[in-house]
């Protein structure tokens, strides 16, 4: 509205207030130029042509008066000679011209007249006169006359048009500004309402955009934020649920076996040792679980750092594989191990061992009934590749992108009681990424999976 008002004010100023003086300046210039043309063509063949031309072009009247003060030629557009150039005036103008340093008179005359319907008006006219010859021997006097009259009616027309334009523009400005602010503020008000709901923990609200690209963008971003917050929130719930569940199982076992030792097997050395063994195992599991959760929270808060150093992976892996001897002897697992000797990579020894154990443990957990697990370590060009393959159910293509997420567990009714937090691969992924190693999984459903990582050397 303000902008429209400023433009209209400018329009009014220029069209109405300044138009008169602007037009008059222009007319005086025309009069002076025409007079100069006439004077310079005086006495030449084209003199009368020039007179015709300038009068027609610029709407002027021209009078040429001889040395005896008689009219010899005129183009009198408005029959005004009697009025503006009576004999007495000619004599007077002649004197003024002779006395003027620039040999000319220039008059702006105001005439007070009445229009047809009786309104008083002021007509302004311009009269320019000069002479040809010398002051003592005047050959001719030339008067050029211009009326400034048409300007009055033009201003009237403009003014009445401007009234209409002003009205239309202000109305339009009002309607448009109202419409735009309504269009913008309505969706923003809605978004604000939804944001309030979001703040109160309602993650299912949808932010609606509307009309404007930016508002749409904002609502999309807020929808995304809401879904992220809701994910984090449900992750928190999952965390608490799965942590308390995972903690409760070993704790129940520990309590049960401790009671058993107290009540039953306390005196029986063999059975007591067996029960104590279970307690120790469960405590270990608790330890691993708590360790994983600590690792996860360190990864999430960015407080984890790795210290890579030359690490002789071949012999360390051979040592690590000895931990599985008991599984082979007691539980019918069989390991196919192929380790190229003397390979050294640059890695954080503690972290990379955790990664390898994690992948092997998963293979043990998820391998098929034949209990076979393949572990390979070899060098290929400038890469050292670690691979562990199992013969289990494999992972569906849809699930593969998610197995690296925290707390992700594929929902299968697995034959073996699978215990896991869904944190293992999340830690593996983050550790390998911190090392800058490539990693991945190739899996065929029903055939098994191969988890691998590669270190460049
Ligand atoms: P978990 O503690 O549940 O094993 P992980 O993060 O190690 O957690 O693994 C996430 C999920 O990926 C597992 O629940 C399992 O469904 C799937 N997965 C991991 N390794 C294998 C494997 N070798 N074969 C089949 N599925 C696997």
């Amino acid at each position: 509205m303000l902008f429209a008002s400023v433009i209209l004010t400018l329009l009014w100023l220029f069209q109405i207030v300044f138009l008169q003086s602007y037009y008059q300046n222009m007319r005086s210039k025309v009069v002076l130029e025409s007079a100069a043309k006439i004077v310079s063509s005086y006495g030449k063949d084209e003199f009368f042509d020039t007179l015709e031309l300038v009068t027609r072009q610029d709407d002027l009247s021209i009078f040429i008066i001889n040395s005896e003060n008689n009219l010899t030629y005129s183009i009198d557009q408005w029959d005004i000679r009697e009025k503006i150039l009576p004999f007495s005036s000619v004599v007077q103008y002649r004197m003024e011209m002779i006395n003027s340093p620039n040999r000319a008179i220039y008059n702006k005359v105001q005439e007070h007249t009445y229009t047809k319907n009786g309104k008083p008006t002021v007509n302004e006219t311009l009269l320019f006169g000069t002479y040809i010859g010398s002051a003592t021997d005047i050959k001719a006097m030339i008067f050029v006359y211009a009326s400034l009259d048409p300007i009055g009616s033009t201003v009237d027309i403009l003014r009445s048009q401007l009234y209409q334009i002003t009205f239309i523009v202000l109305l339009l400005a009002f309607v448009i500004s109202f419409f735009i602010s309504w269009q913008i503020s309505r969706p923003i008000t809605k978004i604000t309402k939804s944001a309030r709901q979001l703040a109160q923990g309602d993650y299912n609200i949808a932010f609606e955009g509307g009309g404007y690209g930016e508002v749409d963008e904002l609502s999309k971003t807020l929808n995304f934020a809401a879904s992220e917050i809701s994910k984090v929130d449900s992750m928190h719930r999952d965390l608490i649920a799965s942590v308390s569940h995972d903690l409760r199982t070993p704790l129940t076992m520990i309590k049960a076996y401790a009671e058993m030792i107290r009540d039953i097997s306390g005196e029986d050395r063999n059975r007591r040792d067996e029960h104590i063994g279970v307690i120790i195992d469960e405590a270990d599991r608790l330890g691993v679980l708590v360790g994983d959760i600590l690792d996860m929270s360190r990864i999430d808060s960015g407080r984890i750092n790795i210290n890579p150093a030359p690490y002789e992976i071949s012999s360390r892996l051979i040592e690590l594989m000895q931990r599985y001897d008991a599984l082979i002897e007691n539980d019918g697992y069989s390991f196919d191990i192929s380790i190229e000797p003397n390979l050294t990579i640059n890695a954080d020894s503690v972290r990379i061992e955790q990664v390898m154990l994690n992948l092997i443990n998963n293979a043990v957990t998820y391998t098929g009934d034949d209990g076979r697990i393949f572990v390979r370590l070899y060098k290929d060009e400038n890469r050292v590749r670690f691979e562990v393959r199992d013969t289990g159910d494999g992972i569906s293509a849809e699930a593969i992108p998610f197995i690296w997420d925290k707390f992700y567990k594929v929902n299968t009714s697995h034959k073996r009681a699978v215990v896991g937090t869904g944190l293992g691969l999340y830690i593996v992924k983050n550790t390998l990424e911190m090392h800058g190693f490539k990693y991945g999984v190739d899996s065929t459903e029903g055939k098994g999976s191969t988890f691998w990582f590669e270190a460049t050397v």
Side-chain angles (χ1 to χ4, degrees), residues 340 343 376-385 454-457:
E340 195 177 314
L343 294 179
R376 287 180 74 194
L377 181 78
Y378 61 96
K379 190 174 173 189
D380 179 22
E381 288 172 14
N382 64 342
R383 292 163 302 164
V384 169
R385 184 178 168 102
E454 283 177 355
T456 38
V457 286

Side-chain angles (χ1 to χ4, degrees), residues 183-188 190-191 206-225:
Q183 274 277 75
I184 293 182
S185 63
R186 199 181 39 139
I188 290 182
K190 266 200 207 163
I191 287 177
F207 289 92
E208 281 170 44
Y212 286 88
E214 287 79 358
V215 179
D216 268 346
E217 204 56 40
L218 174 65
S219 59
K220 266 187 215 147
T221 312
L222 285 172
N223 275 327
F224 179 66

